[in-house]
Every structure is written in C-alpha cells, then in structure tokens.
Amino acid sequence: MRTAKKLMLTPVLALTAFGLAAGPAAAATASGSDSGENWTYQADLNEVNDSGASGDIMITLKGNKAMITEHVEGLAETFQDGKYPHVQHIHVKAGGNGTCPTASADEDGDGIVNTPEGGAAYGEVSTTLTDSGDTSAAAAVDVEHAGIKGGSATYERTIDLDDKTVDAIKNGGASVVVHGLNPEDLPKDVQDAKSPLDDSLPQAATAPALCGTLADSQMGQPPKGGPDTGGGSTAGTDDTVMLASGGGILVAAGAAFAISRKKKTNSAH
Ligand SMILES: [Cu+2]
C-alpha cells in the first residue's frame, strides 16, 4: 500500500496526470477573480535516504502569516521507547533555486545523505516547524518540540515567517525537510555516528527522511514574488514540467487546491 502511494505522490507523475485529465477544460474555467489575498503553496514530500515515508504539505500565506497543514506517514515510529521526534524545517538556499537532494549528495560515501550534504540542494534552515514555541533556526534540533512525533502524523500550525522565507516560498526555492531515520535501517557505522548538527544526537535523528520543494498551487495567476529577490526559476524538475506543459496543468492544480483551501479557514492560531 505504501509503495502505491509513493508512486502516486511523485510530483512529476502527479502533475502530468493532472494535465492529461483536465488540461484545456479546466483552463477555460479560469477567471482570475481571486484577489490573491491568500496564496497557497504545496509540496509532495518524497522520501530521502530510502526512508519509505511519504507526505504532503500545504502552506497558505497571508502576508508573513503562514497557515500550515501537513500529513506524513511511514516515518520511523519509535525512538528510545517514545514517539520518534522528527524535527522539520523550511530550508532556503542562498541565491534561490533550492531543491531536494538525490542519493548522489552523499559526498562522504557513508551510505546516507546527512543534513549538511543535503544542504547543498536545499540550503539552510530558515524556519523550524515545531509543535509550539520558537520557530526560528535556533530551534532546528529541538527534539522536544519536534513538529512530527511518531511515524504518521498531521501537523497544523499558523506561524509568522520572516521575509527571506516568504520570498523563497514565492520564488519556488523553499523546501520542507522532515528529518529522522530509523537507525536500524542504516549502515552499521552510520548507526553509531553522531549528528553533524548536534553531537548529543545520533546521525539518524537529523538525517533527512522527507523532502519537498514548495510550489505555487494556483499557477493560473501571476507570481507574487518581490522584484528584489530575482533568481529566476529554472532549477527543479517540477518547474521544467510545468513550463513545458503550458497553463492547463497549472489551472487544474489551482482548482483542486482551491477546494481544499476552504476547509482551512477555521485553523486555530
Ligand atoms: Cu531541516
């Protein structure tokens, strides 16, 4: 069952399916009437380091306020007899064009992509998606307030983002990364290694398990990115597919998310 879900959540396949199913018809219904007060971004969260996990996240921006809804499943469930604390972040790469790492990011060849290695693709922590309190980078390895606890979870929180993170999201260069692997799944020498981020934690606790780069889910309308952030949007596979396939896919995706957006209006602060 998990395998089937993972395949369906592969972003390129999902977008392609959207386009084939509802391209021109959906495009005809685009009205452009939304004033854009709220703007929604979405990412499928795909496994890193063969974690076997999957998920998705939706972030609706209203100014610097971000209403976040995320669902994950298949992550490592327990850690030292408790629910496994999965720290998670919005990562932003300097210069833009952040994306998710592939296995080739494993520079030291130890068999896993650790967080600094993955950083070459997704950049630094800009926001920590904790369950309460501090959401800055300073809380990056605060396992007590990890946003995800256990193997499957729904995360809902409304937080304020800094300008850098908002700009990166709008420019398609911000990635959501959920960390924490099952140590038993790792090569023997990696099981005993310390995290390069915090040597009180094992390597497994901070290595990335899920990653997805946020993309505009209402692409039928013009981007809202500030003119000062530049950077362009040429990097990701997602971008390439969308640009190549024209407006039909984008409008279809927007329509789908407009429906689910209605459910979010009562989200608690
Ligand atoms: Cu992270």
Side-chain angles (χ1 to χ4, degrees):
M1 193 145 85
R2 184 185 295 167
T3 304
K5 179 111 197 255
K6 265 160 48 190
L7 290 172
M8 289 175 63
L9 285 171
T10 302
V12 173
L13 292 178
L15 284 166
T16 305
F18 251 130
L20 292 173
T29 66
S31 66
S33 60
D34 188 339
S35 66
E37 192 183 344
N38 289 351
W39 210 255
T40 301
Y41 300 82
Q42 183 270 346
D44 288 335
L45 301 175
N46 296 302
E47 68 173 349
V48 183
N49 288 316
D50 297 321
S51 67
S54 61
D56 53 76
I57 187 165
M58 182 179 296
I59 298 180
T60 298
L61 289 182
K62 190 173 190 175
N64 284 54
K65 189 179 292 290
M67 287 154 280
I68 303 166
T69 302
E70 176 192 20
H71 177 72
V72 298
E73 61 188 54
L75 290 163
E77 291 188 13
T78 57
F79 186 73
Q80 293 173 351
D81 298 328
K83 285 192 169 185
Y84 196 118
H86 294 279
V87 295
Q88 55 175 359
H89 318 106
I90 301 173
H91 284 252
V92 172
K93 186 176 175 180
N97 291 336
T99 184
C100 288
T102 63
S104 66
D106 175 20
E107 285 185 17
D108 63 11
D110 65 354
I112 68 163
V113 176
N114 65 32
T115 282
E117 288 170 341
Y122 50 59
E124 302 289 321
V125 172
S126 71
T127 304
T128 304
L129 301 176
T130 50
D131 64 355
S132 64
D134 188 9
T135 57
S136 74
V141 291
D142 180 353
V143 290
E144 253 177 65
H145 292 101
I148 301 292
K149 294 196 171 79
S152 299
T154 297
Y155 176 86
E156 286 187 295
R157 195 175 175 195
T158 297
I159 62 175
D160 288 320
L161 302 178
D162 61 20
D163 291 343
K164 179 186 79 169
T165 307
V166 169
D167 287 345
I169 292 173
K170 289 177 175 176
N171 290 326
S175 302
V176 174
V177 182
V178 183
H179 301 261
L181 300 172
N182 185 348
E184 292 167 13
D185 294 344
L186 303 180
K188 281 274 180 265
D189 48 342
V190 178
Q191 288 187 18
D192 301 326
K194 299 297 182 195
S195 167
L197 302 188
D198 179 342
D199 63 14
S200 73
L201 296 172
Q203 172 86 282
T206 61
L210 284 171
C211 182
T213 302
L214 291 161
D216 192 333
S217 68
Q218 291 138 65
M219 291 279 200
Q221 297 167 51
K224 297 262 171 158
D228 54 325
T229 46
S233 57
T234 54
T237 308
D238 293 8
D239 286 338
T240 307
V241 170
M242 289 187 233
L243 291 172
S245 308
I249 286 175
L250 316 179
V251 174
F257 288 112
I259 294 165
S260 48
R261 200 164 53 139
K262 285 184 183 168
K263 292 188 282 191
K264 312 264 181 281
T265 48
N266 63 346
S267 100
H269 196 82

